Amino acid sequence: MKKINIQNLSKQERLKWVIDNYIAAPNQEHVKKIINLYEIKNADISSIQEQFIENTIANFSLPFAVATNFVINDKNYCIPMVIEESSVVAAASNSAKFWMHRGGFKSKVISKEKIGHIHLFYYGSTDNIKSIFEYIKEDIIKAIDIISHNMKKRNGGLRSIKLINKEQLIANYYQIEMTFDTADSMGANLINTCLEEAAKIIKSKHDKDDLQIIMCILSNYNPNCIVKSEVSCEIKDLKGITLDPFKFADKFKKAIDIAENEIYRAVTHNKGILNGIDALMIATGNDFRAVEAAAHSYACRDKHYKPLTKLSLEDDIFSFQIEIPICLGTVGGLTSLHPMAKIALEILQNPNSDTLMEIAAALGLAQNFAAISSLITTGIQKGHMKLHINNILNKINASEKEKKILSDMFRNKPISYSQIINKLSEIRNINKENL
């Protein structure tokens, strides 16, 4: 195959090239039809989406849903979620409904500090690198003030700058660490621009071989960009669950204790929290990958991976809390470009970044409450099975009549793909290989 620069091709030409070279001939027309079904017909919107990333050939659609019943800081919310996993939205809504009449969720942003570093090596004394840093520090601050002029109008901008000796990790390794408040934007591009401008100043002021700048980059580990959320009520008021309230609270606490001490459980515990938060991040055009990375690193900040939620039963009060780093934005980036992200923010009543952080934390807490409640009572599969069977039936193109028969047949029973195939072949009176 000849080398090709597909970025120079049109979207249609790129698609043709992929199909011609990587799709088997018998399937090519089918692939074209499927891709056409997902094509955005509005030329303006299609053009916007094509420019988000490189080498676009098609659109990939996911369901846009809403989780209801949320009361967060005494305000009602309907939360948009983009996710493919069954039961997540229903679980969040049911959890929110449970807490709606028990005071709802209380969320609070603790801090919003974001971090970036210039990573460098200095082949001289520690005193010398300190002197160099002090010499150039004010020039860096002045340059950053100019770059972040608009953000400073919104009470954001550079918050601190310092030199950190990292020679205990690698010989001659230092960092210049900067912290920022990026107001209502996620701020990644601004932080990286500031870091690179600072690096240019360092090179211009100290253009010698004893100092080597390796890279300039923000960190997605932001232990000082924290939001908390909590739900609480008297244990005796945990009614409407299949267990006695005190037995439920006891099992719930033990489930948290297991996650505190067992990494196999803790990772899945936190994954469930992020089911909801990720879905909200995608819906609002935020970087869910950055949020995931920060959350998991924060979970092991004490060198032992732990759950992001905690439970207290002191004085017979069921107090369930989450503490999590969430870096996001409500202006700039995809939040301002993607039409559906704009709608998602409008559904949320156009929150600022603090409020969106508080909503996200509450959603993560709701997901975790729902997951643990299911695990310690009915089991996790009961909620999953209804949508799971629907997905299987849609995959095998079952008719509406067949769907009803098979859904009734497998209601409240363990199921597998092969079991459904076998039953459908019996209904149709054909060999299962012909389905």
Side-chain angles (χ1 to χ4, degrees):
M1 185 184 297
K2 292 197 310 184
K3 182 179 177 181
I4 184 171
N5 292 321
I6 66 169
Q7 66 267 27
N8 296 327
L9 302 178
S10 69
K11 180 180 173 183
Q12 291 72 25
E13 289 170 336
R14 287 194 293 266
L15 175 58
K16 183 180 185 304
W17 179 81
V18 170
I19 290 174
D20 289 346
N21 287 282
Y22 293 99
I23 302 295
N27 295 330
Q28 289 184 356
E29 288 304 314
H30 173 70
V31 168
K32 289 177 187 176
K33 287 178 182 177
I34 295 298
I35 287 176
N36 186 58
L37 288 174
Y38 284 92
E39 190 63 35
I40 295 173
K41 305 307 178 188
N42 183 287
D44 292 335
I45 293 176
S46 180
S47 177
I48 290 170
Q49 268 200 209
E50 285 171 30
Q51 295 175 59
F52 289 162
I53 60 171
E54 307 79 22
N55 299 346
T56 305
I57 63 168
N59 301 299
F60 190 99
S61 180
L62 287 172
F64 185 112
V66 290
T68 56
N69 306 315
F70 276 85
V71 176
I72 305 169
N73 295 339
D74 301 318
K75 187 174 181 179
N76 292 313
Y77 287 97
C78 177
I79 301 181
M81 300 174 70
V82 173
I83 189 169
E84 86 299 338
E85 184 174 334
S86 58
S87 300
V88 171
V89 178
S93 299
N94 289 336
S95 183
K97 184 179 180 181
F98 180 86
W99 288 106
M100 175 185 273
H101 303 297
R102 293 170 174 82
F105 297 82
K106 305 301 180 186
S107 297
K108 183 179 181 181
V109 172
I110 305 304
S111 56
K112 286 182 65 180
E113 182 180 275
K114 297 168 187 176
I115 301 172
H117 297 98
I118 299 173
H119 300 270
L120 59 91
F121 279 64
Y122 181 68
Y123 302 96
S125 72
T126 301
D127 286 341
N128 281 351
I129 186 66
K130 285 180 179 178
S131 296
I132 294 166
F133 174 69
E134 290 302 324
Y135 170 63
I136 60 177
K137 181 178 173 181
E138 287 306 315
D139 288 334
I140 290 173
I141 292 171
K142 288 176 184 176
I144 289 175
D145 281 348
I146 294 170
I147 295 169
S148 59
H149 176 70
N150 288 333
M151 190 163 287
K152 289 184 73 175
K153 291 179 181 177
R154 304 194 300 274
N155 299 316
L158 181 69
R159 290 291 179 260
S160 69
I161 176 171
K162 63 183 177 180
L163 176 71
I164 303 175
N165 187 332
K166 289 283 185 176
E167 288 189 294
Q168 76 278 14
L169 301 177
I170 306 171
N172 307 306
Y173 174 38
Y174 293 83
Q175 294 173 351
I176 294 177
E177 179 180 277
M178 302 184 203
T179 64
F180 297 82
D181 183 335
T182 58
D184 283 330
S185 71
M186 197 281 179
N189 287 331
L190 175 93
I191 293 172
N192 287 332
T193 298
C194 290
L195 293 169
E196 291 183 3
E197 183 62 28
K200 290 177 185 177
I201 293 170
I202 294 169
K203 288 177 181 177
S204 69
K205 296 286 185 178
H206 189 85
D207 188 16
K208 296 181 182 179
D209 292 339
D210 60 355
L211 192 153
Q212 181 186 26
I213 292 175
I214 305 301
M215 57 185 164
C216 308
I217 187 69
L218 66 80
S219 175
N220 288 125
Y221 179 50
N222 288 289
N224 295 318
C225 188
I226 300 296
V227 59
K228 293 184 178 182
S229 189
E230 178 182 9
V231 287
S232 65
C233 70
E234 292 187 47
I235 293 176
K236 65 181 178 64
D237 291 332
L238 293 169
K239 297 172 183 176
I241 300 171
T242 55
L243 286 179
D244 167 81
F246 285 89
K247 288 182 179 178
F248 173 82
D250 177 66
K251 287 189 76 175
F252 202 105
K253 181 67 168 66
K254 287 172 179 170
I256 296 287
D257 290 344
I258 290 169
E260 280 276 349
N261 292 281
E262 175 52 74
I263 190 170
Y264 287 97
R265 173 58 200 147
V267 171
T268 311
H269 177 108
N270 289 340
K271 184 268 181 186
I273 292 169
L274 291 162
N275 277 346
I277 294 175
D278 283 357
L280 174 59
M281 294 302 99
I282 296 170
T284 55
N286 276 286
D287 187 350
F288 74 94
R289 297 162 299 273
V291 171
E292 284 253 1
H296 288 299
S297 56
Y298 193 71
C300 56
R301 64 193 181 279
D302 297 324
K303 303 189 187 323
H304 176 73
Y305 190 95
K306 292 186 177 183
L308 294 163
T309 54
K310 295 184 181 298
L311 177 70
S312 168
L313 300 178
E314 196 171 328
D315 298 325
D316 286 341
I317 300 295
F318 184 96
S319 177
F320 189 42
Q321 313 104 23
I322 186 171
E323 177 179 305
I324 186 170
I326 302 179
C327 290
L328 51 73
T330 54
V331 299
L334 280 191
T335 57
S336 300
L337 281 174
H338 200 301
M340 294 302 292
K342 292 179 183 178
I343 291 171
L345 290 171
E346 191 165 351
I347 291 170
L348 291 167
Q349 303 161 67
N350 295 310
N352 61 22
S353 60
D354 285 48
T355 302
L356 187 56
M357 286 173 69
E358 291 167 349
I359 293 168
L363 178 57
L365 189 64
Q367 294 289 172
N368 197 225
F369 179 80
I372 296 174
S373 298
S374 293
L375 286 167
I376 65 175
T377 55
T378 60
I380 203 71
Q381 286 304 92
K382 183 177 180 181
H384 279 283
M385 281 302 101
K386 182 178 179 182
L387 285 170
H388 179 55
I389 192 170
N390 284 342
N391 289 339
I392 293 174
L393 293 171
N394 285 329
K395 181 179 179 180
I396 59 180
N397 296 316
S399 68
E400 291 304 314
K401 183 179 179 181
E402 290 167 340
K403 286 179 182 179
K404 186 175 188 315
I405 293 170
L406 290 165
S407 295
D408 290 343
M409 187 179 296
F410 287 101
R411 183 171 287 116
N412 299 323
K413 293 180 183 178
I415 61 167
S416 68
Y417 183 81
S418 60
Q419 286 175 308
I420 292 176
I421 289 292
N422 288 337
K423 288 297 180 183
L424 183 59
S425 64
E426 290 177 15
I427 292 169
R428 294 183 180 178
N429 197 25
I430 59 173
N431 192 299
K432 63 183 181 182
E433 280 73 27
N434 295 326
L435 285 175

